[in-house]
Amino acid sequence: MPPSLQLVRLLQLASPALPVGAYTYSQGLEWAVETGVIRDEASAGSWICDLLAHGVGRFEAPLVAALIAAWRAGDTAELARLNGEFLASRESAELRAETVQMGFSLRRLLADLRDDSLADVAATIVEWPEAAFPSVWAGIAAAWKIDPEPALSAYLWAWAENQVMAALKAVPLGQAAGQRLLAKLGNQIPIAVAAAEALPEGQWSNFTPAFAIACARHETQYSRLFRS
C-alpha cells in the first residue's frame, strides 16, 4: 500500500464520520461538568489531559499496540485474550455498553465496506460473543497495513477529539477553546504513544478512581446529553 493511501485510510479510521456513534458518549465527562469539577477551559483540559496520561495512555493505548501486533502476527488466541481483557477493564455498565456497541457497529462496517483485505478480520471475530471497539479498530488498521506508531497516534487523537467535542457541548466552550485544548493534547499524544509502545503488560494500569466514579454516577444522572 502506498504511504499516501495508508495516510488516507488512517484519516478515515480516525474521522468523526466513522459510523460507530462515538459522538454520543462522553465517558463520564458530562457528570464532571454537572458537579462542577469541569467548569471552564482550564478544568476541562486538566481532566482530559490527566485521563490521557494516567488512564487511556497507560492501559488502552498499550493494549491497542498489543492488538495491532497480534493482528499482524495472526495470533487469534492472543487477540481473543486481549479483547477479553479490555471488556473486563470497563468499570461501569455504560463504559462496557459503549465499547460493545461501537465494536458491533465497526464489525458491521467490515461487511459494508466491501473490502476483501478485511475478510480475515471479519472471519476472526465472527465467533466472539462481544467484540470491543479497540479490537476491531486495530484489526482494520493492521489489515490496511498502517504502521503501528501512526495508527496508535490516530487512535488517541480520535479519543481526544471526541472528549474535546463533548466538553464544547457540555460546559459549554467556544470553538477557539476547543482548538487550544486539541493543540495541548496533540503535544501529549506522541509522548503517550512512545510510552505505550514500551510499556510491558505487567505495568499496564487504568487506576483512575475519579474517572470510574464519574462513569458510574453518570448512569443515574437526571438530565444528560450523552450516553456515557
Side-chain angles (χ1 to χ4, degrees), residues 50-141:
D50 283 352
L51 188 54
L52 173 62
H54 303 295
V56 175
R58 290 189 57 84
F59 183 81
E60 192 164 341
L63 185 138
V64 169
L67 281 164
I68 292 173
W71 278 112
R72 289 163 70 98
D75 190 340
T76 56
E78 178 70 354
L79 289 168
R81 184 186 74 82
L82 291 169
N83 183 69
E85 287 288 331
F86 189 76
L87 289 171
S89 76
R90 302 300 83 191
E91 296 149 305
S92 72
E94 284 185 353
L95 277 180
R96 183 183 175 91
E98 173 184 345
T99 197
V100 170
Q101 180 270 307
M102 290 173 63
F104 174 83
S105 297
L106 200 53
R107 178 158 54 178
R108 185 172 58 189
L109 187 64
L110 289 172
D112 292 341
L113 285 171
R114 302 173 187 174
D115 184 341
D116 291 341
S117 69
L118 301 176
D120 287 345
V121 179
T124 298
I125 65 176
V126 68
E127 298 297 333
W128 293 2
E130 295 176 316
F133 173 72
S135 303
V136 189
W137 195 97
I140 297 175

Side-chain angles (χ1 to χ4, degrees), residues 176-188:
Q179 290 303 307
R180 286 191 293 269
L181 288 174
L182 285 172
K184 183 178 181 180
L185 286 158
N187 288 333
Q188 288 195 9

Side-chain angles (χ1 to χ4, degrees), residues 2-17:
S4 58
L5 184 54
Q6 287 187 37
L7 175 59
V8 170
R9 291 288 184 256
L10 187 55
L11 291 171
Q12 182 178 357
L13 273 178
S15 171

Side-chain angles (χ1 to χ4, degrees), residues 5 10-11 30 42-43 46 48 60 62 65 70 89 94 111 118 123 138 152 156 169 185 209-210 213 215 226:
L5 184 54
L10 187 55
L11 291 171
E30 186 176 26
S43 54
S46 294
I48 301 170
E60 192 164 341
S89 76
E94 284 185 353
L118 301 176
L152 191 52
L156 291 178
K169 296 173 185 176
L185 286 158
I213 291 169
C215 292
F226 298 95

